[in-house]
Amino acid sequence: MRVLYGVFQTGAQANGGVESFTQLLETRGGNGATVITQMQTPVNDRWQRSGARVETWSIPYAMGQSMRAAGPLAAVARARSIAATNSRVAWVVQSEGTSIVHCNDISALWHLGPGGRLGRAALIHHVRDVKPEGEDYGARWQVAVRLAGHTVVLSEDMRLRLVDRLGLSSGLAARISV
C-alpha cells in the first residue's frame, strides 16, 4: 500500500505535530511512502533517512493565513495555486498507485486532499489541535470533515469538542477517531 503524506511545516522548532509524524515514520519505516511538504527544514533529512521519498513543493503557505485572502487578487492567486497543487497531487496519486493521502493539518488538506480524492485515494485528515472557545470553525471545516474519509484527533476530549463545535451528525461523527 502506497501512502502519500502531506506534511506542512511552520519552520518552528516546537512543532509537535511534525515531530510526532517524524517519529512514526522513523519507527515504522518510510519505504514506499512519499512526503510532500512546502519547506526545506532539517526534519526533511530525517524523513529521507527513514526511507521515504521527500518532495518539497513551492506552495504559498503561511501558518493561519493559507485560506485567508488579503484582498481579491490574493484570493484569486491563492485559489489558482491550490487548484494547481491539487491537480499535481491527482497526477502523482494516479501515476504511483497511491492508496492513501494523509494530511497533517487543515492547510495540507486543502492544498492536497481534493487532488488525492480526484486521484481516487482514500483521504485521512489529522487534526492537531482544537480551536479556542469563541473562535469559529466556519464552512471549510464542515467541508473538510465531509471530504476526508476519516479524521484523526489526539484525544477523546478533542473528538467530542470537534463533533460538538461542528454540530456533526452521528454518521459524520463516526468518521472521527482518536
Side-chain angles (χ1 to χ4, degrees):
M1 176 183 328
R2 295 192 57 81
V3 180
L4 183 150
Y5 295 98
V7 183
F8 278 24
Q9 304 179 70
T10 65
Q13 294 298 319
N15 196 340
V18 172
E19 180 58 29
S20 61
F21 164 74
T22 302
Q23 290 176 15
L24 178 74
L25 201 60
E26 289 172 336
T27 301
R28 296 198 174 173
N31 296 333
T34 299
V35 178
I36 295 174
T37 189
Q38 89 297 359
M39 68 174 30
Q40 180 65 42
T41 68
V43 79
N44 296 41
D45 297 329
R46 289 175 60 192
W47 296 337
Q48 287 177 322
R49 285 194 301 273
S50 78
R53 186 177 90 233
V54 179
E55 295 186 15
T56 305
W57 290 5
S58 178
I59 300 172
Y61 167 79
M63 187 67 168
Q65 297 175 6
S66 185
M67 298 298 287
R68 296 184 185 117
L73 292 179
V76 169
R78 191 167 290 109
R80 284 184 180 153
S81 172
I82 289 171
T85 301
N86 275 291
S87 177
R88 187 174 177 192
V89 168
W91 182 86
V92 169
V93 165
Q94 284 288 295
S95 66
E96 295 183 358
T98 301
S99 303
I100 298 171
V101 174
H102 186 145
C103 298
N104 78 319
D105 66 11
I106 189 83
S107 293
L109 177 89
W110 282 112
H111 284 86
L112 310 175
R117 289 293 300 269
L118 185 63
R120 301 200 191 283
L123 179 60
I124 298 172
H125 175 211
H126 190 128
V127 178
R128 299 180 293 185
D129 200 0
V130 177
K131 291 183 179 202
E133 286 298 325
E135 213 174 301
D136 186 31
Y137 271 93
R140 70 186 183 120
W141 278 88
Q142 294 287 338
V143 174
V145 170
R146 287 162 175 78
L147 177 67
H150 199 78
T151 300
V152 179
V153 297
L154 302 176
S155 70
E156 181 62 19
D157 180 61
M158 279 180 66
R159 189 187 77 72
L160 292 172
R161 286 194 287 154
L162 193 62
V163 166
D164 180 59
R165 301 240 344 251
L166 289 172
L168 299 177
S169 67
S170 59
L172 287 173
R175 293 170 40 183
I176 300 176
S177 66
V178 178

